[in-house]
Amino acid sequence: MLQIKNLHIAFNSDKEEVTAVNGIDLFLKKGESIGLVGESGSGKSLTALAIMGLLPPQAKVKGSIHFNDTDLLQLSLKEMNQYRGQRISMIFQEPMTSLNPVMRCGEQVAESIVKHQKLSRKKALMLVIDLFRQVNLPRPEKMIHAYPHEISGGQKQRVMIAMAIANNPELLIADEPTTALDVTVQQEILDLLDRLRKEKGMSMVFISHDLGVVSKVADQVAVLYKGNIVEQGFCATIFANPQHPYTQGLLACRPPINQRPEKLPVIEDFMIKEVGQILKKSVVTEAFIHKHADEPILKVHQLVKDYPLERNFLGKITKTFSAVDHASFEVFPGETLGLVGESGCGKTTLGRAILKLIQPNSGSILFENQDLTKLSRAETKKARQRLNIVFQDPYSSLNPRMSIGEAIMEPMKVHHLHKNNKERAAKTAELLERVGLTAQQMNRFPHEFSGGQRQRIVIARALALQPRFIVCDEAVSALDVSVQAKVLNLLNELKKTFGFTYIFISHDLSVVKYMSDRIMVMKEGRIVEIGSADEVFYHPQSDYTRKLIAALPMLSV
């Protein structure tokens, strides 16, 4: 069905031509699935965009991409539109920036159905409700009327998946389709994609940084490094016995379940040293035990955050939804408390309520014995110097019109830190160096950086006010495993250096277990379990926690 031969994709920079994809060959039969894995910038997404005919105009493309008997690279835009969205469809990587913010979610999916299936808007919306039900979106009849900003990151991703499968495509390209999803929904989506592929004889190109996920859905895997395929074959063969150092590095970067290394291996180690030395070096320690201080740095008691679901004709609220339902817990100085649960369980709402980015309905939040819920606006602003957050999506949390230097200096100006802009610029340079970037990059803009680099920028901005407490909200969810390992190492290094206290929110239980002293599990706004990382993982007390752990993707070899 799909045959890619000698594909080259290049771009002109200021001084020279940069080759992003360097002569790759791929072959996919009808009904088969192939996984593309590799670091950010390895050429995975560019290959997918080339198949879809969505490369930017400045891209120089050579080679051929045959879909059945048609070379897609030779088609005009009008001809390509007959394939795109109908016979070939794509789930894009970042749902937050791929969905139209001023259109309701149902309308966005219906638009494609109306165009390709020639149905009325009313019939299309009925199909959308069924699609939303298939991808397990809650309250699909109401969800079709929601705007993207009104739903969670995982729910946005499911809207994108519904849009991609709406017209029953022959070839589905899935570019990181489960990145923002918790493990249980991820498993459901993977099962759904696998079922659709088998029922409809659909072929699939599956791009992911999670090798465990790729091993579950792909028949074959191709490993890309700097635009080249360095290893290719059946998943079971490649993952059981990887031959190339780069593939070995990708496998080793994943946080191990049964050990807690002091530092995760990174790709560069494998590309420059003997593999055996790295593995020997990385298997370090027993799980570290955090000794609690006498007094918690944070005490949350009976915290409630409700949202209105229905109102009567007078505007009075008649039905509410509890995003956070009487949550109570403590966090101790220097501790990392992991927070896990399914999408929509209230993790992000709880994290933002602690920082008073959203106002809770009731309950108390004592930070260093000061109740944040009772502070005035001016007092809250002052308190925020001690608390900060690293948001889930670094691209949407950075102003695209501000250089990264300006973005990092902005909170310093707001809180009147340092004497003048010269001192603030010096501090910004220091912070960039601290997170693995350079002072020379201060004047560049967010779109000029990779996903991993943008995450480092928002971490630097979070450090700008020298906080004591940081909420990391899915801080590594969108990163491939190699970049994820670097960011996790960075967060642990910063914790040791500055004595930070973290609440670490993630849908990836293996990452949470690696990072956390204790783990707190949320379900439908309530805290159902809390305990040490090993206790929760190996001896879960609730059925819900056991379900989360069972859904964790392991390498299928």
Side-chain angles (χ1 to χ4, degrees):
M1 170 178 275
L2 181 71
Q3 188 168 13
I4 299 176
K5 284 187 176 179
N6 199 29
L7 180 66
H8 287 79
I9 303 172
F11 297 89
N12 282 329
S13 69
D14 294 337
K15 296 181 180 178
E16 59 182 350
E17 187 173 274
V18 177
T19 300
V21 173
N22 189 22
I24 69 169
D25 297 308
L26 288 173
F27 182 84
L28 187 63
K29 291 181 181 178
K30 184 177 175 63
E32 281 189 344
S33 176
I34 187 168
L36 301 185
V37 299
E39 291 179 282
S40 232
S42 63
K44 308 185 303 294
S45 294
L46 282 176
T47 301
L49 292 173
I51 297 170
M52 290 290 293
L54 292 174
L55 287 170
Q58 63 270 32
K60 295 183 177 181
V61 186
K62 296 178 183 177
S64 64
I65 301 175
H66 279 89
F67 177 70
N68 295 322
D69 296 325
T70 304
D71 187 351
L72 300 177
L73 294 181
Q74 303 303 316
L75 299 181
S76 67
L77 178 60
K78 185 177 179 180
E79 290 170 328
M80 190 65 204
N81 282 336
Q82 301 303 312
Y83 287 82
R84 190 190 298 138
Q86 185 172 18
R87 298 183 66 187
I88 307 173
S89 193
M90 184 167 178
I91 303 165
F92 290 95
Q93 185 172 359
E94 293 187 348
M96 295 183 185
T97 52
S98 299
L99 291 171
N100 188 331
V102 298
M103 279 183 74
R104 297 180 192 274
C105 293
E107 293 286 352
Q108 297 193 51
V109 181
E111 185 179 45
S112 173
I113 296 172
V114 169
K115 178 182 177 181
H116 292 291
Q117 298 185 36
K118 311 299 182 187
L119 295 179
S120 68
R121 177 181 171 276
K122 185 177 179 180
K123 286 184 178 179
L125 282 173
M126 293 300 293
L127 278 178
V128 173
I129 291 171
D130 184 56
L131 284 165
F132 280 9
R133 197 172 283 119
Q134 283 185 53
V135 297
N136 296 307
L137 276 164
R139 304 180 299 279
E141 294 83 1
K142 292 186 180 295
M143 190 64 73
I144 62 171
H145 302 297
Y147 288 97
H149 72 271
E150 296 178 307
I151 60 178
S152 71
Q155 289 168 342
K156 288 187 190 70
Q157 189 67 284
R158 281 177 274 180
V159 170
M160 287 293 299
I161 292 168
M163 191 184 301
I165 64 173
N167 296 304
N168 299 315
E170 298 168 54
L171 173 63
L172 178 65
I173 301 168
D175 190 359
E176 302 280 6
T178 60
T179 294
L181 304 181
D182 56 77
V183 287
T184 52
V185 179
Q186 173 177 265
Q187 187 60 53
E188 291 166 3
I189 295 299
L190 294 176
D191 290 344
L192 171 66
L193 291 173
D194 198 45
R195 177 172 60 80
L196 288 169
R197 178 168 70 95
K198 289 172 181 174
E199 286 178 358
K200 301 176 186 298
M202 183 174 67
S203 302
M204 184 162 61
V205 176
F206 193 96
I207 300 169
S208 179
H209 64 263
D210 191 326
L211 302 182
V213 168
V214 168
S215 73
K216 285 185 176 295
V217 297
D219 304 311
Q220 304 176 56
V221 63
V223 182
L224 277 79
Y225 176 64
K226 294 185 177 179
N228 296 282
I229 293 177
V230 296
E231 196 158 2
Q232 186 173 2
F234 291 109
C235 283
T237 305
I238 298 292
F239 292 148
N241 187 26
Q243 297 300 304
H244 196 278
Y246 182 69
T247 313
Q248 294 164 347
L250 286 176
L251 290 165
C253 287
R254 303 169 76 244
I257 295 298
N258 300 320
Q259 296 165 334
R260 198 190 297 265
E262 186 176 339
K263 189 176 181 181
L264 291 170
V266 296
I267 291 292
E268 288 77 7
D269 298 332
F270 285 81
M271 300 306 287
I272 60 175
K273 296 182 181 178
E274 290 296 325
V275 174
Q277 292 178 335
I278 300 302
L279 291 175
K280 186 177 179 183
K281 215 172 150 185
S282 68
V283 179
V284 185
T285 60
E286 306 167 2
F288 57 84
I289 299 171
H290 180 74
K291 295 180 180 177
H292 290 165
D294 293 332
E295 187 66 26
I297 191 172
L298 178 75
K299 295 180 186 177
V300 176
H301 182 67
Q302 294 293 303
L303 195 69
V304 174
K305 178 58 185 176
D306 293 331
Y307 289 100
L309 278 182
E310 293 179 5
R311 298 175 186 266
N312 62 20
F313 69 97
L314 294 173
K316 185 178 179 181
I317 297 169
T318 57
K319 190 176 180 181
T320 61
F321 167 72
S322 289
V324 178
D325 190 1
H326 296 88
S328 298
F329 62 94
E330 297 175 339
V331 187
F332 294 86
E335 179 183 34
T336 298
L337 177 67
L339 178 55
V340 298
E342 292 179 289
S343 182
C345 73
K347 305 187 300 292
T348 294
T349 303
L350 177 59
R352 295 188 178 196
I354 290 168
L355 275 73
K356 279 191 70 179
L357 295 175
I358 54 176
Q359 188 66 40
N361 293 82
S362 61
S364 62
I365 305 166
L366 268 67
F367 180 71
E368 296 180 329
N369 294 317
Q370 184 180 36
D371 192 345
L372 301 182
T373 63
K374 296 179 179 178
L375 299 184
S376 67
R377 189 169 180 176
E379 289 170 331
T380 299
K381 178 182 172 182
K382 189 175 180 182
R384 284 212 182 110
Q385 285 189 240
R386 296 172 290 154
L387 303 96
N388 219 319
I389 186 168
V390 178
F391 290 102
Q392 180 174 358
D393 181 12
Y395 191 74
S396 62
S397 61
L398 289 169
N399 188 332
R401 296 184 176 184
M402 292 176 70
S403 70
I404 64 160
E406 291 171 325
I408 295 169
M409 281 191 280
E410 187 180 36
M412 300 183 204
K413 292 177 182 177
V414 169
H415 289 274
H416 308 292
L417 291 185
H418 311 293
K419 292 178 182 178
N420 50 47
N421 283 343
K422 185 177 179 181
E423 287 192 8
R424 292 181 190 117
K427 183 65 179 176
T428 299
E430 179 189 325
L431 289 170
L432 286 171
E433 298 282 352
R434 171 68 68 177
V435 300
L437 298 171
T438 66
Q440 288 72 33
Q441 294 171 310
M442 280 177 61
N443 296 321
R444 290 169 61 182
F445 290 83
H447 71 272
E448 298 180 80
F449 294 89
S450 69
Q453 288 173 323
R454 284 197 288 266
Q455 196 62 276
R456 288 170 180 267
I457 292 163
V458 296
I459 290 171
R461 188 178 61 181
L463 301 179
L465 299 180
Q466 301 171 348
R468 294 198 58 201
F469 186 96
I470 297 178
V471 175
C472 297
D473 186 7
E474 298 281 7
V476 296
S477 66
L479 305 179
D480 58 69
V481 285
S482 54
V483 180
Q484 175 182 275
K486 293 176 185 177
V487 174
L488 294 177
N489 287 339
L490 171 64
L491 290 170
N492 277 331
E493 178 192 328
L494 293 171
K495 178 182 172 182
K496 283 183 182 178
T497 304
F498 297 105
F500 289 139
T501 303
Y502 289 135
I503 287 182
F504 192 89
I505 301 171
S506 178
H507 64 266
D508 190 329
L509 271 78
S510 60
V511 170
V512 170
K513 181 182 180 293
Y514 171 70
M515 291 293 291
S516 305
D517 300 315
R518 290 186 300 147
I519 293 176
M520 184 163 68
V521 184
M522 281 189 82
K523 179 188 179 185
E524 296 175 353
R526 289 184 170 269
I527 295 168
V528 297
E529 188 165 350
I530 188 167
S532 75
D534 287 341
E535 284 173 357
V536 170
F537 203 87
Y538 295 117
H539 307 288
Q541 299 302 302
S542 72
D543 290 339
Y544 179 70
T545 309
R546 283 190 279 272
K547 177 186 170 187
L548 291 178
I549 294 167
L552 189 64
M554 304 290 184
L555 278 177
S556 301
V557 294

